[in-house]
Amino acid sequence: QQPVQSPQAVILREGEDAVINCSSSKALYSVHWYRQKHGEAPVFLMILLKGGEQKGHDKISASFNEKKQQSSLYLTASQLSYSGTYFCGTEIRYNTDKLIFGTGTRLQVFP
Amino acid sequence: GAGVSQSPSNKVTEKGKDVELRCDPISGHTALYWYRQSLGQGLEFLIYFQGNSAPDKSGLPSDRFSAERTGGSVSTLTIQRTQQEDSAVYLCASSLGRQGSGRKAFFGQGTRLTVV
């Protein structure tokens, strides 16, 4: 039931782009994205609801393909502050709010 | 409170002892989650409370683990007869809950449990 994220780790130089994928074996109602910096609590980035929408937050955006049961997080022109571990949280049924998180993708941005 | 509060922040216990971890969610949040994060690993779902509904305990790894939520607010996660493999950071999160979906979760700073 746990979604699978890929890649497991990404190393970037400032200004480079990255894509993180989240795939589920179950039909999804929504996908949530969180970022966790070392030693800190995960922090919410965005939610995507069933309907194939794409959202953006500064230079971080995401898409949700319900047919493929997957979501992708796009980081454009990465900054040092983007470093951390990214988790997708999936909700398989409407109105449950139960979040199952993926395996995580560790992103490191270097100057 | 301003955010999700967890206590203690660190706990070292001897193998075989029982421990209690506490979570104070954001006031008004009806949904409360417990997750476990082992070193360098992902967020493992443990248990989920939603209002007055029966909790979803499907993620609890063994019957040594239990959790309760009193008055729809504070929650306590209890681990009995702790084992070394229980060592991890235990994270609590809360959200506004079942009002349509898409409610973001706010996480506490976690309790780092070390079983020696």
Side-chain angles (χ1 to χ4, degrees):
Chain A
Q1 197 174 5
Q2 183 182 32
V4 176
Q5 289 183 233
S6 62
Q8 289 185 325
V10 183
I11 297 176
L12 298 174
R13 294 286 182 191
E14 264 187 302
E16 293 181 336
D17 302 340
V19 180
I20 299 172
N21 298 303
C22 173
S23 296
S24 173
S25 60
K26 302 269 188 182
L28 300 176
Y29 178 75
S30 71
V31 178
H32 304 220
W33 284 96
Y34 288 77
R35 176 171 62 206
Q36 183 180 31
K37 292 186 179 288
H38 183 69
E40 300 180 8
V43 173
F44 169 82
L45 292 177
M46 66 187 76
I47 295 172
L48 298 102
L49 301 178
K50 188 175 179 178
E53 66 177 300
Q54 181 153 355
K55 277 195 160 184
H57 177 71
D58 289 333
K59 293 180 180 176
I60 300 175
S61 62
S63 62
F64 178 22
N65 188 323
E66 61 196 74
K67 287 185 178 178
K68 292 185 178 180
Q69 296 164 192
Q70 67 183 40
S71 176
S72 295
L73 186 72
Y74 307 94
L75 299 109
T76 307
S78 59
Q79 304 168 17
L80 296 177
S81 61
Y82 287 3
S83 294
T85 301
Y86 289 78
F87 293 99
C88 65
T90 56
E91 185 179 11
I92 61 173
R93 288 198 313 276
Y94 171 73
N95 230 15
T96 64
D97 297 298
K98 176 180 174 179
L99 283 179
I100 303 296
F101 283 92
T103 48
T105 296
R106 187 173 179 183
L107 181 78
Q108 290 180 283
V109 182
F110 291 95
Chain B
V4 178
S5 177
Q6 291 187 245
S7 61
S9 54
N10 279 286
K11 176 72 176 179
V12 180
T13 189
E14 292 180 353
K15 179 180 172 181
K17 300 275 190 181
D18 297 351
V19 294
E20 283 189 352
L21 312 180
R22 177 187 169 105
C23 172
D24 280 277
I26 293 173
S27 178
H29 280 193
T30 59
L32 186 148
Y33 315 75
W34 282 98
Y35 292 91
R36 178 169 69 176
Q37 188 171 34
S38 301
L39 186 62
Q41 299 300 308
L43 299 166
E44 177 189 4
F45 169 79
L46 296 178
I47 188 169
Y48 163 60
F49 296 89
Q50 172 54 271
N52 295 321
S53 301
D56 182 335
K57 304 179 182 180
S58 58
L60 294 178
S62 78
D63 58 8
R64 296 186 295 106
F65 287 73
S66 63
E68 62 177 19
R69 189 178 184 190
T70 53
S73 181
V74 172
S75 177
T76 302
L77 177 69
T78 302
I79 308 173
Q80 296 177 310
R81 305 181 302 281
T82 51
Q83 304 294 314
Q84 288 186 328
E85 61 261 29
D86 298 336
S87 297
V89 175
Y90 289 81
L91 288 162
C92 175
S94 70
S95 73
L96 283 169
R98 194 182 298 168
Q99 296 180 28
S101 188
R103 295 293 178 179
K104 64 182 180 181
F106 294 82
F107 281 84
Q109 292 299 312
T111 293
R112 181 176 296 278
L113 176 66
T114 304
V115 182
V116 297

